[in-house]
Amino acid sequence: MPDHAPSGLTDAEAAQRLRNEGPNVLPSVSRKGLPRIAWNALTQPMFLLLLATAALYALLGNLGDAGMLTLSVLMVGGLSIYQEQRTERVLEALKNLSSPRCTVVRAGRALHIASRELVRGDRVLINEGDRLSADAQLIEAVELQVDESLRTGESMPLGKRVEGEGESGLLFAGSLVVRGDGVAEVTSTGAHTALGAINDSIAQLAPRASRLQDELRRLVRRVAWLAAFTCIVAATVFALREGSWTQGLLVGLTLAMSLIPEEFAVVWSVMLALGSWRLAKSNVLTRQPQAIEALGTTTVLCVDKTGTLTHNRMALTVLHDGEVECKVDMREPAAGFQRLLSGALRASSTGGVEPMDQAVRTTAQAAGLGEVDPSWTPGPRRGIRDGAPYVVHWWQAAGDSARTVAVKGAAEAVLALCEAEPECMHRLRETADRWSAVGLRVLAVAEGHAGLPGEDAALPDGLRLAPLGLLGFMDPLREEVPRAVEECRRAGVRVVMITGDAALTARSIARQAGLVDGGPAKVLTGSELAAMDDDALRRCVREVQVFARVDPTQKLRIVRALQQQGDIVAMTGDGVNDAPALKAADIGVAMGRRGTDVAREAASLVLLDDNFASLVEAVRAGRRIFTNLRKALGYLFAVHVPIVGVALIPVVMGGPVLLLPLHVVLLELLIDPACSLVFEAEPAPDDSMTVPPRRRDDALFSLASAARAFAMGALVFAGVVAVQWACRTLGATQEELRMASLGSIVLGNLLLLLWFRCAGTRLAHPNTVFHILLIGVCVVWGLLTMVPGVGTLFGLPGTFSPWALWVVLPAGWAAWRALAISRHH
């Protein structure tokens, strides 16, 4: 029995239960705690090499260097742990955002909340297509059927009814509502639900790796094999020539630390996680990494009209009863239209949240009708079906043996079921066409009488209805849509509208949105599409911008036809039947507000605000993320060239070891945040939305990109060699040679960072993270070169050396230039 009034829990009661019982979420087995993150970070090859080098120094009796390396392990490990924890926090926040939505009644108000906020005792409104997030007891039900295969393995939908025997009156978390609607009271949440028992097995299902991940893994594997071979050869050559296997092992370990590409994993995880977080702040939730990869390749955006291009705020603006037309004015009741409004009320769902039903109730209340006459008893109800775009609701009037059926739906379909004077039918059809041509959503209302409903509440064969009139709704275009469509056009992305509305309405909205450039828009209707074979449809989709009166099953054909023409398709959808098209599309985009949970599960992206402009912003962000990821990988490849080169100088040319393990640690403290945080924060290039989409088969890091990065790294290495030659000519000491080599590498690192940031653009954009990194480099270098004793710990001169200016002065100049660029933006 319910433990509260029909108006639902109060806000205070719900908040108290949420505090006492916790959120409605299953325990996470995949979330990483601090110990697990620390263990994963400190068992990476880089850190194992650092520990091995520290142990070797300790065996040689050099406890000072061993202690400094151990401290360095903690510093580098701390940075990695911080970055992974930040990534974990972002992923957890995204998980919270992706929580399914549900509609609850609290204090008499229908609220759309995240399912994690559900509490025991909440009254939930259930609609077709919902994925249930808690166990519940049915209170009301209309032709309700649910799929409980996630819990039972049985794919056949089960009928549910109020106060049914056994489990027939119960709903379970994880079930899918395949038909009907109802109201239920939550009885269990979170781990206490039936779904909680199978949580572990579900949580172990890992998503497949994306193309980017596979490409990065192959790249890391190749570089790792090359590094291992180079280290063994270099260590052996140095040991044989110098006669010291210990020194040879140190050289090999230093070279291994220089070559190990552990930053590749860092840059992948951090950039994609933070990139997804930035998308979420733009009201786009990324559910699959593949979506980010594909966003930059999208050539066609297939979008719905209602709620995506328009506001989905339906208002009933005009009425027609077959004789006269009346504009709706809430200040003046629509006298003479009570019969039409009464029929529309009977055909609408009671207490539902469907926009047009709400608009009907609002207009009827203004006309003094309120709700349906209580003397009418509701009967079975049938929702919109494929081939029958109208709602059927049966009623029994007091004292009347016959049943009355109210029908509301697409004008041409409902009027085809009607029988009236030819003049009346002509006026209604002409009015429907005229309203549709100016962008109104037109529904017809009719009623009829029969002894019994047909099977599954259908209209009996041969029943002819009496037309009650037309309802004209206005759903205004979003103000930002024309600009977003024009932006897509400049970016080489075609926008195609697919809607269930009439062709005239769709053509009017397409013209307002800028989908067509003057002249009549070519519109293909669902009936015309059904008559086409696949070859004809493939030829047609290149020219058609608007598909009207399309049912969800036809969306899949449109998507496949576009893909067969070579297009990369992003597709929006919100219903249960949209799931196949969303899965088939290269990027499935579900609606966050009005979409069903099944659509969201099938999608790669979720538009949290159902706004087309947010989808266009996601395309821009996807291009930015891919561009910055490519820049970061180029920088990583280039920056290791001079480090490896300096490590090989004593092997090839003899002389003192110029690069110690501690120096590699210092460089890693610069490279790690540079490759992940600096490039992740890099804004999109100015021309990111004025160039065509990149080809789908474009490699993330091609052979040509590797050659360019190697050439830039080789230039920096040539500069380091020139500095070494000058220093040796001037008689520099061994410590000063190390100072010069380290300073040259750091300066070259900063120059490479600037070059790759500006790659493909005329100048660098403001980047606060880069400014912070520059300041940090200057501070650390100042400590090493100007504070007595600090440099000695790292094998550098213990007092000030003029070689320090190799970094301080150019870094200061770079900081000044970066700030000057910021002012110009």
Side-chain angles (χ1 to χ4, degrees), residues 314-316 319 330 340-349 354-367 369-371 408 443 445 471 473:
M314 284 292 181
L316 185 52
L319 305 171
M330 293 301 175
L340 169 59
L341 291 173
S342 296
L345 273 178
R346 289 194 293 273
S348 301
S349 60
E354 203 279 324
M356 283 183 287
D357 287 354
Q358 289 182 332
V360 167
R361 288 196 297 273
T362 300
T363 306
Q365 289 170 0
L369 293 179
E371 296 293 339
K408 173 168 66 69
L443 298 183
V445 182
L471 310 174
F473 300 85

Side-chain angles (χ1 to χ4, degrees), residues 607-666:
L607 290 185
L608 299 178
D609 59 355
D610 295 4
N611 191 346
F612 173 71
S614 297
L615 180 56
V616 176
E617 189 60 33
V619 173
R620 181 196 302 274
R623 292 186 175 192
R624 180 189 68 82
I625 290 171
F626 186 87
T627 299
N628 290 344
L629 190 56
R630 179 177 277 175
K631 288 180 179 180
L633 291 179
Y635 162 78
L636 279 176
F637 196 89
V639 80
H640 280 82
V641 172
I643 298 175
V644 173
V646 171
L648 285 173
I649 285 178
V651 177
V652 178
M653 302 177 61
V657 176
L658 298 176
L659 203 61
L660 301 177
L662 281 172
H663 300 161
V664 179
V665 171
L666 286 174

Side-chain angles (χ1 to χ4, degrees), residues 77-91:
L79 177 61
S80 297
I81 291 170
Y82 166 75
Q83 288 181 328
E84 188 162 354
Q85 269 198 313
R86 185 179 182 188
T87 301
E88 191 69 21
R89 287 196 299 269
V90 169
L91 294 176

Side-chain angles (χ1 to χ4, degrees), residues 199-369:
N199 175 50
D200 289 348
S201 59
I202 294 175
Q204 296 300 327
L205 298 176
R208 64 182 178 89
S210 71
R211 186 176 69 90
L212 284 180
Q213 282 177 302
D214 291 337
E215 190 174 341
L216 279 173
R217 285 171 183 168
R218 288 195 299 270
L219 183 61
V220 169
R221 193 179 303 117
R222 291 168 184 169
V223 175
W225 279 110
L226 177 63
F229 175 76
T230 304
C231 295
I232 293 172
V233 172
T236 303
V237 169
F238 189 86
L240 292 175
R241 190 176 61 205
E242 300 295 330
S244 173
W245 285 99
T246 302
Q247 290 297 319
L249 184 57
L250 276 175
V251 169
L253 287 172
T254 303
L255 193 57
M257 292 165 58
S258 306
L259 282 170
I260 289 294
E262 82 285 346
E263 299 97 348
F264 285 8
V266 173
V267 72
W268 163 260
S269 60
V270 172
M271 288 190 72
L272 287 190
L274 294 182
S276 298
W277 177 244
R278 290 181 188 274
L279 283 177
K281 291 197 292 185
S282 298
N283 292 313
V284 180
L285 178 65
T286 306
R287 301 190 73 250
Q288 299 174 7
Q290 296 91 321
I292 295 180
E293 173 189 355
L295 276 171
T297 66
T298 302
T299 59
V300 176
L301 294 179
C302 294
V303 298
D304 191 15
K305 177 187 77 69
T306 304
T308 307
L309 298 178
T310 62
H311 283 284
N312 195 25
R313 291 200 302 261
M314 284 292 181
L316 185 52
T317 58
V318 62
L319 305 171
H320 198 295
D321 64 356
E323 298 292 337
V324 295
E325 182 176 316
C326 172
K327 290 187 177 180
V328 175
D329 188 343
M330 293 301 175
R331 295 169 297 183
E332 299 180 10
F337 289 82
Q338 278 80 3
R339 184 165 177 258
L340 169 59
L341 291 173
S342 296
L345 273 178
R346 289 194 293 273
S348 301
S349 60
T350 57
V353 294
E354 203 279 324
M356 283 183 287
D357 287 354
Q358 289 182 332
V360 167
R361 288 196 297 273
T362 300
T363 306
Q365 289 170 0
L369 293 179

Side-chain angles (χ1 to χ4, degrees), residues 43 75 86 290 308 322 469 539 566 576 615 709 755-756:
T43 53
M75 292 174 61
R86 185 179 182 188
Q290 296 91 321
T308 307
R539 292 191 297 269
V576 177
L615 180 56
W755 192 88
F756 279 98

